[in-house]
Amino acid sequence: MGSENGRNVTIAMIARLAGVSVPTVSRVINGRSDVAPQTRERVEELLTRHGYRPRSAARRTQSALIDLVFNDLDSPWAVEIIRGVEDVAQASGAGTVVSAIHRRTSSAKQWLDNMRTRSTEGVIFVTSMVEPPLQAELRRLRLPVVIVDPAGVAPQEAPTIGATNWAGSLRANQYLLGLGHRRIGFIAGPPQLMCSRARMDGYRAALDAAGLAVDDRLVRPGNFYHESGYTAGMHLLGLPEPPTAIFASSDQMALGVYEAVRKRGLRVPDDVSVVGFDDLPEVRWCSPPLTTIRQPLAEMGMLAARTVLRLARGETIESPRVELATDLVVRDSAAAPRIR
């Protein structure tokens, strides 16, 4: 039985009745050719039977959309991911909807309510914990999901995109050890993120391979933002035996360490070497330019977008877990330690 005027009938409702995904119904409505004839006939019959009417004529020609969901958007790191997703989306004739849910259940619910009203092909979550209720609803809508740098264990069916965090951290600390440093401070990222844990493990592995024990006094918590890098840097540089080098798990925290070094009346790299992780665009312009591990953020966004669009077309993904290579970028923030 149809609704009174067809406007209470949603794409999600038709998808559920037809046993197909929301993107498939959207493709039928928009007249796209990439739908099997039998599926198209079934969806069109349900649209007619239930009196479905788009909200406007514009919806009938609306392009495909990718939903890109962050916890927060206040980082140049996020900008690089967005840039990569946008490049692929535009080349595919798709649009991008960017949202921030701020780790709040209410924000996630509002995003989900909004997402149901648009022609979303699939969802990319970035450094987000996809809670079970949200997983269940996305499964019900048959929307493909890809996760970039997952927090905790990702849903089994969701492909993940990341970088070689362990290898990058190992390489950074091996570089500092090769310069002669033996007291290397480490500033960790959020412990719930798998990438943070991998960077911590890479730090420990480098010290272990050099025959050095991890000194817990040289390991400080952080959250990837400047303030936590500054706080951790002030603490480390105030120790009776401060480190001669500090490896920060993000470039933003490394720049926070720069400020702590200045506050202590010291200089980088004369008094303390600093290495970061990310290779954000601005770090080549700071003074001195930051030595860091390049994480291919834009490429991660591009691969996530390609993957979600392939899933939306019903294609099979060869490898559900992908890690892109990291590289050491040597600039001017690390040098051999002074003899004290």
Side-chain angles (χ1 to χ4, degrees), residues 21 23-24 27 34 121-122 144 307-315:
S21 68
T24 297
R27 287 194 285 270
D34 51 345
E121 292 283 292
T307 302
V308 83
L309 288 172
R310 287 184 62 192
L311 290 170
R313 291 193 296 266
E315 298 178 22

Side-chain angles (χ1 to χ4, degrees), residues 12 15 42 68-69 92 117 134 140 147 189 191 257 302 316:
R42 184 166 73 254
L68 179 58
V69 183
S92 304
T117 68
L134 184 55
R140 191 181 71 80
I147 303 177
V257 172
M302 293 173 71
T316 301

Side-chain angles (χ1 to χ4, degrees), residues 23-35 40 43-44 47 52 54 57-64 119 121:
T24 297
V25 176
S26 175
R27 287 194 285 270
V28 171
I29 292 170
N30 293 326
R32 287 170 52 178
S33 61
D34 51 345
V35 180
R40 179 183 300 280
V43 170
E44 288 177 342
L47 290 168
Y52 175 81
R59 176 173 284 274
R60 287 193 292 272
T61 58
Q62 185 179 35
S63 64
S119 303
E121 292 283 292

